[in-house]
Amino acid sequence: QSALTQPRSVSGSPGQSVTISCTGTSSDVGGYNYVSWYQQYPGKAPKLMIYDVSKRPSGVPDRFSGSKSGNTASLTISGLQAEDEADYHCCSYAGRNTHVVFGGGTKVTVL
Amino acid sequence: EVQLVESGGGLVQPGESLGLACAASGFTFGNFWMSWVRQAPEKGLEWVANIKQDGSETRYVDSVKGRFTISRDNAQNSLYLQVNSLRVEDTAVYYCAREGFNSPLSFDFWGRGTLVTVSS
């Protein structure tokens, strides 16, 4: 069982918005502004999409946005495109001893 | 172009050992913390271990402490993970990942992974 809780799947039609939640505790998500999100296609390496809750690396479309409220972080994909169909993993810093914890991953399906 | 290429995975029996390696290129390897992250079949990601730029600090997830050892050779631009006393639950793809340039508490580049299968 993963430390952070994500829905197993979300879906949306092209052009719509979808939001993926990532729920932790005050010891991880709620305690630090160090949440990151990764996109992963089947059989491929993860790709960093969001870091420090809401910052986008160079090259990541601005359709991807991150936020946090209390112990729950969220990734929103606006203007959903077929190429966004992938697994998405959240990650949070959890203190010096634990370092980081991940969620179980969410499969995004574009209908 | 940043590249991370893992090697050394394979099929082993419980209790056996393997040495994983990650060859880095396209950046100044010695300037970054590096991590190993694993993914069991059909499961989420799990951080395994990391190591400071000069190798002076290492950290491990509790489940591998005393069995796994992370190390690096900055002259060879290489990261290593010695995995001993392997268990069935260690079966996973093991990824080498660079801790972020903009935020060290994220992973900005990943290798394609090497599969470790532990089975009798």
Side-chain angles (χ1 to χ4, degrees), chain A residues 2 8 34 36 38 40 43-48 51-52 89 91 93 96-100 102-105, chain B residues 35 37 39 42-47 50 57 59-60 65 95 99 102-108 110-112:
Chain A
S2 299
R8 299 242 2 195
Y34 295 123
S36 52
Y38 302 87
Q40 186 181 31
K44 302 297 185 182
K47 175 186 174 183
L48 177 65
Y51 67 96
D52 294 356
H89 305 270
C91 176
Y93 182 63
R96 180 173 170 78
N97 291 332
T98 305
H99 193 45
V100 298
F102 283 92
Chain B
S35 273
V37 178
Q39 186 172 31
E42 306 302 318
K43 299 292 185 184
L45 299 167
E46 179 184 36
W47 174 79
N50 72 348
E57 286 185 42
R59 303 184 193 124
Y60 300 90
K65 284 180 181 175
Y95 295 102
E99 300 200 3
N102 291 315
S103 171
L105 299 173
S106 62
F107 305 99
D108 62 357
W110 300 64
R112 298 190 69 173

Side-chain angles (χ1 to χ4, degrees), chain A residues 43-109:
Chain A
K44 302 297 185 182
K47 175 186 174 183
L48 177 65
M49 304 300 284
I50 296 286
Y51 67 96
D52 294 356
V53 176
S54 60
K55 298 177 182 176
R56 273 188 313 276
S58 174
V60 172
D62 60 7
R63 304 185 290 105
F64 292 86
S65 61
S67 63
K68 191 188 85 166
S69 177
N71 296 338
T72 298
S74 299
L75 174 72
T76 298
I77 310 173
S78 305
L80 199 61
Q81 299 183 5
E83 67 206 50
D84 299 332
E85 186 163 293
D87 292 327
Y88 292 83
H89 305 270
C90 66
C91 176
S92 175
Y93 182 63
R96 180 173 170 78
N97 291 332
T98 305
H99 193 45
V100 298
V101 290
F102 283 92
T106 298
K107 180 174 179 56
V108 170
T109 300

